[in-house]
């Protein structure tokens, strides 16, 4: 979970930077190694610790935001893309995402460089 929180902090710093383009370029250089670490840790498990926990919600959010901010970045990590699909297909999550309450975008505040 600590690595996920650190990664989330890096994304937050990037999108709320005064110069999003430069910050995004710096952040994008760190993404491959972070995704590899997440993919290696997840391995062939369905969830981060083998059962659904808070860590899975954090991982999903970070992977979703990463694929929006850096399209194609998850393409070489089949287990991470499978995780996203599996998470989105949890019945309660799937129902929520299909409801009027779900807001796809923006994912950040109006002050962010990436919304």
């Amino acid at each position: 979970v600590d690595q996920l929180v650190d990664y989330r902090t890096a994304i937050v710093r990037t999108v709320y930077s005064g110069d999003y383009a430069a910050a995004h370029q710096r952040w994008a250089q760190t993404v491959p190694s972070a995704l590899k670490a997440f993919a290696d840790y997840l391995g062939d498990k369905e969830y981060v610790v083998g059962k659904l926990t808070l860590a899975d919600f954090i991982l999903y959010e970070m992977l979703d935001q990463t694929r929006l901010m850096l399209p194609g970045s998850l393409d070489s990590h089949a287990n991470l893309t499978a995780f996203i699909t599996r998470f989105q297909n949890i019945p309660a999550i799937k129902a929520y995402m299909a409801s009027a309450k779900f807001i796809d975008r923006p994912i950040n505040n109006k002050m962010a460089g990436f919304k």
Side-chain angles (χ1 to χ4, degrees):
V1 172
D2 289 341
Q3 289 80 9
L4 290 170
V5 172
D6 290 345
Y7 187 71
R8 183 180 188 284
T9 299
I11 289 176
V12 169
R13 286 185 180 145
T14 299
V15 300
Y16 290 99
S17 154
D19 183 355
Y20 174 72
H24 181 272
Q25 188 173 34
R26 287 189 302 273
W27 169 77
Q29 294 173 1
T30 69
V31 170
S33 62
L35 292 180
K36 182 181 181 329
F38 297 149
D40 289 350
Y41 187 82
L42 184 62
D44 61 358
K45 298 187 301 280
E46 287 192 4
Y47 298 108
V48 175
V49 297
K51 64 179 184 173
L52 186 64
T53 66
L54 175 63
D56 299 295
F57 285 81
I58 298 169
L59 179 59
Y60 173 79
E61 179 187 6
M62 295 304 92
L63 295 177
D64 186 50
Q65 190 152 347
T66 298
R67 69 182 175 166
L68 291 171
M69 291 174 63
L70 199 60
S73 58
L74 298 175
D75 291 353
S76 62
H77 300 288
N79 66 336
L80 296 180
T81 56
F83 170 84
I84 289 170
T85 300
R86 188 168 38 256
F87 186 89
Q88 290 175 333
N89 283 314
I90 294 169
I93 300 292
K94 189 172 187 170
Y96 169 69
M97 292 179 87
S99 76
K101 292 180 181 181
F102 178 70
I103 301 171
D104 188 41
R105 300 282 292 272
I107 55 175
N108 292 303
N109 187 291
K110 62 183 177 181
M111 299 167 55
F114 181 85
K115 295 165 189 63

